[in-house]
Amino acid sequence: MAIFLDSSADPRFADYRDLNSSDRRPDARGGKGLVIAEGNLVSERLLHSRFPVRSIVGFEPKLSNFLALPGVQEEIARRDIPVYATTRDTLAEVAGFDLHRGLLAAADRPEPLAVEQVIGSARTLVIAEGVGDHENIGSLFRNAAGLGVDGVLFGAGCADPLYRRVVRVSMGHVLRLPFAHLEGGYTTWQRSLEQVRAAGFHIVSLTPNPEAALLKDALVDETGQAYEKVALLIGAEGPGLTEHAMRATDIRARIPMAAGTDSLNVATAAAVALYERARSLS
């Protein structure tokens, strides 16, 4: 089933070449704009996602283990995806570093989802502003998938959610959880929150400000009932949300913190907030 490639110069390796090169990497949004999955788990999730897979490459025994996963060979055959086998050294020459996971898959980026497609049937959303760290974006998606989020929306200044490191850190959940980008620049994107509010969402901005409402109180109405639809707005490490963004939300909320501390990592804070949201619904 797999075609063996023994030369790193083989043109069929083109989608995987120079993965760690900042100006030539194939997953850069401004270049080939591919999506690269690493390892069996993430590659399997890519294979079963909406992303058009271009090829799969790996070395033994990693490739054999992947092909033995339930439904993988059937899906590869159905979509007519080329599979390449090679050696560990050859793949390292191609990618520019040793790939101990031993398996890569490449896919095209599909047409971006529209905001209305993400929020249409959603009950819980995360909205990010200025989150520029790829690992935080990846962790955010992993936490969101585990805590019942229906979609993620991006305001201005966020990292590319389909960058290779994001895909890896998210454990492939960025390929499964729908996301979209809100329109506008740094000082204008907040107007797009009206589209979210018009869809019935109660919008909560997270802040360490001690004058903000407690998070548990911000997620329920005056009768103590959980809001049917909630969108949680999170900001960048350090500066947090802009004042423009917080003014566009319905309430500002804080996570209670121990004395001497004022905040959590953004992905951790989102996880705490999402747990509280899930608890309010139970």
Side-chain angles (χ1 to χ4, degrees):
M1 184 177 186
I3 301 168
F4 189 79
L5 306 182
D6 59 1
S7 170
S8 61
D10 194 301
R12 287 170 288 187
F13 278 130
D15 289 349
Y16 307 100
R17 201 172 302 285
D18 300 323
L19 284 179
N20 63 347
S21 172
S22 60
D23 57 347
R24 296 190 303 275
R25 55 185 309 139
D27 62 328
R29 189 159 36 185
K32 294 180 74 171
L34 301 182
V35 177
I36 304 294
E38 300 176 55
N40 285 8
L41 175 62
V42 179
S43 296
E44 183 184 15
R45 287 176 174 164
L46 177 64
L47 184 64
H48 294 293
S49 73
R50 67 188 180 94
F51 293 75
V53 179
R54 295 162 60 96
S55 65
I56 297 165
V57 62
F59 54 79
E60 296 290 348
K62 305 291 188 178
L63 182 58
S64 292
N65 292 340
F66 177 69
L67 295 176
L69 293 173
V72 163
Q73 292 198 48
E74 292 82 356
E75 187 65 14
I76 288 172
R78 186 184 72 82
R79 298 171 69 172
D80 194 24
I81 300 167
V83 178
Y84 304 124
T86 190
T87 66
R88 182 169 186 161
D89 289 343
T90 299
L91 194 55
E93 286 180 35
V94 171
F97 60 97
D98 181 43
L99 284 150
H100 66 276
R101 289 179 177 86
L103 188 84
L104 293 170
D108 290 312
R109 298 186 184 213
E111 283 297 311
L113 295 177
V115 172
E116 53 268 24
Q117 290 176 282
V118 174
I119 70 178
S121 59
R123 293 183 68 196
T124 304
L125 297 172
V126 172
I127 305 176
E129 177 191 49
V131 182
D133 183 87
H134 295 102
E135 293 198 7
N136 281 335
I137 294 288
S139 296
L140 174 64
F141 270 92
R142 186 176 182 182
N143 294 339
L147 291 164
V149 171
D150 302 301
V152 176
L153 299 177
F154 291 104
C158 291
D160 177 10
L162 295 178
Y163 186 80
R164 180 172 59 89
R165 187 180 302 165
V166 176
V167 177
R168 183 181 72 240
V169 173
S170 77
M171 299 296 290
H173 287 297
V174 70
L175 308 171
R176 311 168 80 189
L177 191 64
F179 64 86
H181 289 79
L182 295 163
E183 294 183 358
Y186 276 98
T187 59
T188 60
W189 80 267
Q190 300 87 355
R191 299 169 191 167
S192 298
L193 290 175
E194 283 305 314
Q195 182 179 359
V196 180
R197 182 175 287 106
F201 283 87
H202 177 65
I203 307 176
V204 180
S205 52
L206 296 182
T207 173
N209 190 329
E211 296 181 2
L214 287 173
L215 177 62
K216 66 180 182 64
D217 298 327
L219 297 175
V220 297
D221 62 22
E222 60 276 5
T223 71
Q225 294 296 308
Y227 286 101
E228 176 65 20
K229 296 182 177 182
V230 167
L232 290 162
L233 192 60
I234 61 170
E237 293 279 339
L241 290 166
T242 63
E243 183 62 26
H244 279 301
M246 288 191 285
R247 279 204 303 263
T249 64
D250 297 304
I251 190 170
R252 305 180 192 205
R254 62 184 172 88
I255 297 170
M257 301 293 297
T261 60
D262 65 352
S263 63
L264 299 168
N265 165 272
V266 62
T268 304
V272 171
L274 291 171
Y275 174 79
E276 190 64 43
R277 164 63 172 165
R279 197 175 70 86
S280 74
L281 292 170
S282 62

